Amino acid sequence: MNYLKLGIFFYVICISTITTYSQEIEETEQIISDINNLLNPKVDIDFDKGFLTVNYYRNNNLIKISKLNIDEIIPADISYSTNSKQIVIKCQYEECVENKLLGNIKKKTFTPRLKVFIADTLKGKKVLKLLKIVIGEKNKSNITKTVSPGLEYKLSHHLVSTMPLLLFWKGFGVSYEYITTSEKLGLYIPFSFTFNMEYYQTGLAFKFYTGKNKSHNYNFGNLYLGVNTIRYYLGPEFMYISRNDIDYGSLRFQNGVSIQSKKHINITVHAGVGAGYVLNEKLINPEYNKGDVIFDWNVSFNLGYRF
């Protein structure tokens, strides 16, 4: 009987979830339909796979398609100008609107704004309200990011960091990283140690950065997390480690997340795993002998300054 009740409970939850999702889709489709009813017959819009698409017609022929990734905008980016009679959706960083022109000569252009002409001011304000609703629904999330104007900096090549959490293990660490102009490659040199020098490690790593070097405002719910560029990196790490019992060389696969806050402050969470080759024994009966291959790993938290 308990299994039956549990099954009924999950069935109700599933049906409720599907029903709610279906209602959201129907509401969104209704809003899009309402917008298109207000627009000029020569223009229609659609939302598909995260893109806002605006189609323009002349004599029933499609002459232009404009596409905008709605992840790049928020409701505040949308306005209606009573002077130009246009809905304006702006990109705050770059030319992110792709305009595909159709005709005898097919070509693409990119602009920092998407504009839709609506002569009737009353209809224009209604479309503005509906667009803000549907884009707000499409972009809602526990963690949101919004592009911020004027926060693209020409960053320097040099990043110096400390590893303050090692203080809990009576140690400390510092590192230097040279980052190329393309922001795709970093040359990383760490040095960490215990204060009694029974343990220290140093070496060289190559960091291959992924993603775009673009700053965003990050929010977690209503909590503002600040302006950050968050990027993932990976690559090889060649290390020399000295312990109280052995010395060994290590090859690790390392990866991590780099958070560049505004222009100078950097936070990096770094992890590596690999294998080491024992080079020297320091004790009479060490746990490992010269020539042994051992498992090796490392985790660090770096707080740095880029200059």
Side-chain angles (χ1 to χ4, degrees):
M1 182 62 70
N2 290 335
Y3 289 110
L4 178 60
K5 290 180 179 179
L6 187 62
I8 293 172
F9 172 76
F10 281 113
Y11 174 77
V12 171
I13 292 296
C14 290
I15 293 298
S16 175
T17 302
I18 293 171
T19 301
T20 302
Y21 181 68
S22 299
Q23 289 174 345
E24 289 180 357
I25 292 176
E26 290 176 2
E27 289 173 0
T28 300
E29 290 178 346
Q30 183 60 53
I31 291 174
I32 294 171
S33 176
D34 291 342
I35 292 173
N36 284 321
N37 288 335
L38 292 167
L39 291 175
N40 186 302
K42 296 179 180 180
V43 180
D44 68 55
I45 72 163
D46 193 15
F47 289 87
D48 182 41
K49 297 179 180 177
F51 285 88
L52 165 63
T53 303
V54 183
N55 298 312
Y56 301 84
Y57 297 88
R58 180 185 296 162
N59 300 325
N60 295 322
N61 294 318
L62 183 62
I63 60 170
K64 179 182 175 182
I65 302 172
S66 296
K67 295 181 70 175
L68 171 61
N69 185 344
I70 64 173
D71 287 340
E72 299 293 334
I73 58 175
I74 55 175
D77 293 334
I78 313 168
S79 61
Y80 177 72
S81 172
T82 54
N83 294 325
S84 62
K85 308 293 184 182
Q86 289 180 322
I87 290 283
V88 180
I89 305 175
K90 64 179 180 179
C91 308
Q92 297 187 19
Y93 258 139
E94 55 189 76
E95 297 183 338
C96 62
V97 179
E98 177 186 330
N99 303 290
K100 185 177 181 181
L101 307 178
L102 307 175
N104 294 331
I105 301 176
K106 296 183 179 181
K107 63 178 183 179
K108 290 183 180 180
T109 64
F110 294 87
T111 58
R113 289 176 175 81
L114 191 154
K115 299 180 179 180
V116 181
F117 180 76
I118 304 176
D120 189 313
T121 301
L122 184 60
K123 288 184 177 180
K125 290 182 177 179
K126 287 182 178 179
V127 171
L128 173 65
K129 182 178 180 180
L130 292 171
L131 275 175
K132 287 190 174 187
I133 291 172
V134 72
I135 286 178
E137 284 297 307
K138 292 281 186 180
N139 274 342
K140 68 182 180 182
S141 173
N142 286 332
I143 298 180
T144 59
K145 63 177 183 178
T146 58
V147 179
S148 305
L151 294 173
E152 285 295 326
Y153 301 105
K154 185 176 177 60
L155 297 169
S156 74
H157 298 294
H158 311 288
L159 173 61
V160 175
S161 302
T162 62
M163 305 172 195
L165 294 185
L166 292 181
L167 290 170
F168 291 103
W169 289 271
K170 298 181 180 180
F172 199 63
V174 294
S175 68
Y176 169 77
E177 182 177 354
Y178 179 85
I179 303 172
T180 60
T181 304
S182 66
E183 297 288 329
K184 294 293 185 182
L185 175 63
L187 184 64
Y188 176 70
I189 304 172
F191 177 67
S192 58
F193 55 91
T194 57
F195 294 132
N196 61 12
M197 292 306 291
E198 287 188 353
Y199 176 94
Y200 68 86
Q201 66 171 354
T202 187
L204 176 67
F206 295 94
K207 294 182 177 182
F208 298 96
Y209 287 91
T210 64
K212 294 181 179 179
N213 188 44
K214 180 184 288 187
S215 300
H216 295 84
N217 278 314
Y218 281 84
N219 298 274
F220 183 77
N222 294 324
L223 178 63
Y224 178 61
L225 300 181
V227 181
N228 300 293
T229 298
I230 301 178
R231 302 178 72 196
Y232 174 76
Y233 67 85
L234 50 81
E237 184 175 46
F238 308 93
M239 302 296 295
Y240 175 81
I241 297 94
S242 177
R243 304 188 334 194
N244 65 332
D245 57 344
I246 58 172
D247 297 330
Y248 64 94
S250 177
L251 172 60
R252 302 173 187 152
F253 170 79
Q254 49 94 25
N255 69 130
V257 176
S258 174
I259 304 172
Q260 184 70 38
S261 180
K262 294 192 176 179
K263 190 173 183 179
H264 297 294
I265 305 302
N266 180 276
I267 297 172
T268 300
V269 180
H270 176 98
V273 62
Y277 181 81
V278 178
L279 302 170
N280 184 38
E281 304 171 15
K282 295 182 178 179
L283 301 178
I284 297 175
N285 294 309
E287 181 181 359
Y288 303 105
N289 298 312
K290 184 177 180 179
D292 285 352
V293 176
I294 62 175
F295 175 74
D296 188 41
W297 64 277
N298 174 258
V299 176
S300 68
F301 172 85
N302 292 21
L303 178 61
Y305 185 83
R306 191 163 176 180
F307 64 95

